[in-house]
Amino acid sequence: DMGSKWLLLTASKDESLRLWNVQSATCIAIFAGHDAHRDAVLTCGWHPLGNRFVSGGMDNSVKIWSLESDEMMNAIKESWRTQPITKRDTATTASRPQSTHKVFKTLYEQTPIFSTSKVHLDYCDCVQFVGDLVLSKSINDVIILWKPIFSDSQLKNNVLINYEGNGKAGVSRIPNEVQPL
């Protein structure tokens, strides 16, 4: 499980989510950018297997993010080799020619494996996986249990395809399809 009890997700007003290794005080990854949330992120929740998470925010969207890429899995493993930098370390590092601390390179992920704004008409302030289903709530107290629709090959390969209304396909994100239950 790669020490998943020490991994923490945070949602932020700056339109991002961050994955932290609490034990090593390391920011493993920042989920933000091109296909990410376009307003404050209000909520996030882990999939029961710990291999992905769901997020919702003030942009009325719900997004699912994967942690299964080789790069992400390697970064999580590497975060265990990183030692936290203490206040004492920062004071003495300037006087030493070479620091004994390895600098951790935080990953940046811009594209979720699923994205939709068709579930809620207002801010989504609560999301949680229920198995492979998503339970989400808007600020209007509308609670919906739904299933994201995407193919196994898209999940396995993180192949993301967006079909625009004009019929053209672009490589950016999975079609915004949901199945209400």
Side-chain angles (χ1 to χ4, degrees), residues 8-178:
L8 173 73
L9 284 170
T10 57
S12 179
K13 184 178 180 180
D14 72 0
E15 304 176 9
S16 74
L17 295 119
R18 285 178 168 74
L19 176 64
W20 300 89
N21 180 325
V22 178
Q23 194 170 42
S24 67
T26 303
C27 180
I28 300 168
I30 298 173
F31 300 84
H34 181 68
D35 288 327
H37 286 280
R38 294 291 182 212
D39 207 334
V41 185
L42 301 176
T43 182
C44 55
W46 288 104
H47 186 277
L49 297 177
N51 59 346
R52 63 184 95 136
F53 64 92
V54 62
S55 62
M58 292 179 69
D59 58 359
N60 304 359
S61 71
V62 177
K63 298 181 184 289
I64 298 174
W65 303 85
S66 175
L67 300 177
E68 295 183 300
S69 72
D70 290 340
E71 187 178 26
M72 185 66 66
M73 292 179 77
N74 288 336
I76 293 169
K77 287 177 187 173
E78 187 64 28
S79 74
W80 294 106
R81 296 184 187 101
T82 304
Q83 296 295 316
I85 297 176
T86 65
K87 191 173 185 178
R88 181 174 164 246
D89 293 331
T90 57
T92 59
T93 300
S95 63
R96 282 186 272 158
Q98 294 180 353
S99 174
T100 59
H101 289 287
K102 182 179 179 183
V103 176
F104 184 85
K105 185 177 182 218
T106 300
L107 289 182
Y108 291 88
E109 179 62 58
Q110 295 189 50
T111 307
I113 60 171
F114 181 87
S115 179
T116 187
S117 56
K118 294 181 180 181
V119 177
H120 295 288
L121 300 175
D122 213 332
Y123 302 170
C124 178
D125 65 351
C126 188
V127 292
Q128 185 59 52
F129 273 106
V130 179
D132 287 332
L133 305 177
V134 175
L135 185 64
S136 59
K137 178 188 127 358
S138 73
I139 60 168
N140 297 334
D141 292 330
V142 174
I143 300 172
I144 301 175
L145 180 65
W146 53 279
K147 180 180 181 180
I149 309 287
F150 40 170
S151 74
D152 289 338
S153 64
Q154 287 171 316
L155 269 179
K156 182 179 177 189
N157 300 317
N158 288 332
V159 174
L160 309 170
I161 301 171
N162 179 33
Y163 289 95
E164 307 277 336
N166 60 12
K168 294 181 182 176
V171 177
S172 64
R173 58 187 157 166
I174 289 176
N176 295 331
E177 296 182 26
V178 298

